[in-house]
């Protein structure tokens, strides 16, 4: 009986080793998780990601600087400061996760954009080879008081289509950008808000940026600065078609859990592994001690 109980407990512990509790309860069908980070490790950017240092494209009035990208209090923070640098009147932040480049992907993040005129918060998909004009896609959110909106831009190599989503967007929301062979979709709080059948097939990296100028205008006296684009978590999946899905040749992701840096999902998995291993070892030792020390009945032939 004791051996049976011990065997059951060991099997349970082994299951914990194989299937530890994760941040997300389930993964969407047809997608394989490759990146998960909750930004719990203050001062450290996720592996595979870096802060960009350079001037943005177009007529933006800001300059991207690494010091404007920080991690603290469980959030990734991209700041916009009123400070002149390289001839630009504002300093802003951009995070590029080039280490998570892949063909097709699903990107989920919870974020809060800064409220105020002249600020643009962006989720980016950019081709690895840098051909952003025809192959780039993005979700750009502006939270001007009384006129909050989001613009979805999607490039497939032959052109770029745009669609506008109405707000509000200034509070915390969960966003999903799904770039699949069947189309380019955007979800806000689990509701599909945009669908474009045009699809880029070029490998692309994902990132975030906050900027000003161009379409958003520039912050005036009524816009409080510094302002921050805050991201609570980021999860990335690679395209993994199921057997019933149409056969599409998709390149695998270039990362495999590489982005879950210290303090993120990878650390929680490691903790479960350590705890489960300790429990398994303790149970095995207990069973051995009990088996060796308990009195044994003599064989039936020698009983009185």
């Amino acid at each position: 009986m004791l051996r049976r109980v011990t065997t059951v407990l060991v099997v349970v512990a082994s299951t914990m080793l194989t299937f530890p509790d994760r941040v997300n309860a389930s993964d969407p069908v047809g997608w394989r998780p490759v990146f998960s980070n909750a930004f719990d490790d203050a001062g450290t950017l996720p592996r595979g990601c870096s802060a960009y240092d350079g001037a943005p494209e177009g007529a933006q009035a800001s300059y991207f600087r690494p010091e404007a990208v920080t991690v603290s209090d469980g959030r990734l923070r991209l700041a916009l400061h009123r400070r002149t640098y390289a001839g630009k009147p504002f300093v802003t932040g951009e995070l590029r996760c080039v280490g998570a480049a892949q063909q097709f992907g699903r990107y989920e993040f919870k974020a809060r954009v800064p409220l105020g005129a002249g600020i643009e918060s962006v989720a980016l998909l950019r081709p690895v080879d840098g051909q952003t004009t025809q192959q780039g896609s993005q979700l750009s959110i502006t939270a001007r008081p009384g006129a909050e909106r989001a613009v979805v831009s999607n490039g497939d190599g032959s052109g770029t289509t745009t669609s506008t989503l109405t707000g509000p967007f200034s509070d915390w929301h969960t966003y999903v950008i799904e770039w699949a062979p069947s189309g380019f979709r955007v979800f806000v709080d689990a509701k599909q808000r945009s669908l474009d059948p045009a699809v880029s097939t070029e490998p692309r990296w994902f990132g975030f940026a906050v900027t000003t100028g161009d379409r958003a205008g520039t912050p005036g006296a009524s816009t409080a600065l510094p302002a921050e684009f805050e991201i609570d978590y980021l999860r990335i999946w690679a395209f993994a078609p199921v057997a019933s899905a149409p056969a599409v040749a998709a390149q695998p992701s270039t990362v495999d859990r590489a982005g879950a840096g210290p303090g993120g999902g990878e650390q929680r998995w490691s903790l479960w592994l350590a705890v489960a291993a300790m429990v398994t070892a303790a149970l095995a030792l207990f069973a051995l001690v009990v088996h060796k020390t308990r009195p044994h009945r003599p064989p039936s032939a020698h009983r009185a």
Side-chain angles (χ1 to χ4, degrees), residues 203-230:
R204 302 193 289 186
W205 53 263
F206 185 79
F208 296 106
V210 62
T211 187
T212 185
D214 204 359
R215 292 180 301 187
T218 55
S222 61
T223 301
L225 295 180
E228 289 184 335
F229 178 23
E230 301 174 79

Side-chain angles (χ1 to χ4, degrees), residues 72 233 276:
S72 64
Y233 68 81

Side-chain angles (χ1 to χ4, degrees), residues 20-304:
D21 189 24
R22 293 181 293 179
V23 176
N24 49 326
S26 62
D27 294 311
V29 176
W31 298 98
R32 174 175 56 86
V34 294
F35 185 111
S36 179
N37 199 289
F39 307 110
D40 293 328
D41 192 7
T44 302
L45 298 180
R47 280 201 303 262
C49 304
S50 61
Y52 178 62
D53 187 359
E57 302 169 358
Q60 283 89 339
S62 55
Y63 195 98
F64 293 124
R65 289 290 297 158
E67 63 266 23
V69 181
T70 59
V71 174
S72 64
D73 299 325
R75 295 172 188 170
L76 171 68
R77 302 173 185 271
L78 282 67
L80 170 63
H81 298 270
R82 194 187 304 273
R83 177 164 63 87
T84 301
Y85 189 92
K88 304 285 187 179
F90 299 93
V91 167
T92 57
E94 179 176 305
L95 182 77
R96 297 184 174 187
C97 295
V98 179
Q102 58 188 6
Q103 183 191 51
F104 307 127
R106 191 177 194 272
Y107 309 86
E108 177 186 325
F109 59 96
K110 184 177 180 181
R112 179 169 62 184
V113 303
L115 182 65
I119 306 175
E120 189 173 18
S121 303
V122 189
L124 305 161
L125 271 172
R126 293 288 185 266
V128 175
D129 61 11
Q131 298 179 3
T132 58
T133 302
Q134 297 294 327
Q135 298 285 358
S137 299
Q138 67 181 41
L139 171 64
S140 173
I141 305 170
T142 55
R144 180 191 299 268
E148 299 182 24
R149 68 171 190 169
V151 176
V152 180
S153 302
N154 180 43
D156 67 344
S158 61
T160 300
T161 58
T162 61
S163 60
T164 302
L165 316 179
T166 57
F169 294 106
S170 56
D171 203 350
W172 286 101
H173 296 280
T174 300
Y175 302 89
V176 172
I177 296 175
E178 191 173 276
W179 165 37
S182 59
F184 187 85
R185 300 170 178 83
V186 173
F187 300 80
V188 181
D189 296 329
K191 295 181 180 179
Q192 182 174 304
R193 300 289 305 276
S194 177
L195 168 60
D196 185 1
V199 176
S200 171
T201 58
E202 293 296 317
R204 302 193 289 186
W205 53 263
F206 185 79
F208 296 106
V210 62
T211 187
T212 185
D214 204 359
R215 292 180 301 187
T218 55
S222 61
T223 301
L225 295 180
E228 289 184 335
F229 178 23
E230 301 174 79
I231 297 94
D232 183 60
Y233 68 81
L234 170 62
R235 300 170 190 154
I236 300 177
W237 289 264
F239 182 61
V242 294
S244 60
V248 177
Q251 298 176 1
S253 169
T254 57
V255 294
D256 188 6
R257 296 283 178 194
E266 191 174 90
Q267 186 180 38
R268 281 185 285 268
W269 282 55
S270 298
L271 179 60
W272 272 109
L273 291 173
V275 172
M278 292 176 62
V279 171
T280 303
L283 289 173
L285 180 61
F286 174 76
L288 179 63
V289 171
V290 171
H291 178 71
K292 293 294 186 181
T293 57
R294 70 174 183 174
H296 294 275
R297 290 183 176 182
S300 58
H302 296 281
R303 293 177 188 171

